[in-house]
Amino acid sequence: SAALEYCQQVGYPVPDRANIVDWMMDVISPGYKHIMVKQGKKAVDESVKDFVMYFKAKVLPKLQEDVATMTATQGMHPKDLAVNKWEKAGSMASAEMSKHFPVSRPNSVNSTGPWRQMQILFWVKMKLLQRDVKGLKMRLMMSVLQSCILGVAFYDIASSAELMHMQFLFLVMQMVAMGGMQVMPALVDARTVMKKETGEALYGVGPWITVMAVVDGLVTLISSSTFVIVHFPPLQRRALTTDADANTQ
């Protein structure tokens, strides 16, 4: 093989019945006394220097020449490579499937437009939500629990003094605003994935932010509405009764 020939050219032929990988690790490991050192044919670390010198003298010039030739040749942009790949597969795809193939967009790093990116990201987001049904239930259950606690603590707040109203409204707004903190770890993980995928030009940051804001905003709106609706009736029960009696009189 090429490895056997390479070791032979450097001056360290692989011994009979020896594993070539183990042998190469032995001769390129500094301070290791391989069989040729033990037999007195080579000094310690001399094999490491021999391999380095051989690489610089025989391999490196050709490698640098190949790299210079490759870098001097203008290649295709990654997105053009992706489009070219899909175009080759177009002959085997149906007309309906071909509609979803990427197209070359010279003024953008992405192969699809923002609207198509948002459609795909929305589909991905909905799939992730379907996988995390327990997380959605937990958010709703926490909203119900918080509303029950707040309803008991501020029972019949409507008939209390105005100062109590201010305290109650401040607490409600604070709890609604802090309700999204429970999904912060998941949001951090999603952002980490987004940074990697946008780095690969799979989609843009703008479509991702739009989809995340819309979907997470709807989930937050539902949980916050549940929180407000559940604790609202007991807060005004006595006040509504009093107003009804007053109107009757």
Side-chain angles (χ1 to χ4, degrees), residues 11 13 17 21 48 73 115 127 136 139 142 148 152 183 222 239 246:
R17 297 189 299 275
V21 177
V48 178
T73 305
W115 177 246
K127 285 293 183 181
L136 293 176
R139 294 185 65 174
M142 287 299 298
C148 291
V152 172
V183 297
I222 293 173

Side-chain angles (χ1 to χ4, degrees), residues 4-5 40 71 88 93 106 126 148 152 160-161 174 182 193 208 225:
L4 287 170
E5 184 180 354
T71 53
K88 292 181 179 179
M126 296 306 296
C148 291
V152 172
S160 301
Q174 185 181 34
Q182 55 186 323
V193 175
W208 183 85
S225 300

Side-chain angles (χ1 to χ4, degrees), residues 3 14 31 45 81 88 109 124-126 146 155 174 247:
V14 181
D45 294 342
L81 289 174
K88 292 181 179 179
V109 298
V124 172
K125 181 64 176 177
M126 296 306 296
Q146 290 175 350
Y155 183 79
Q174 185 181 34
N247 293 331

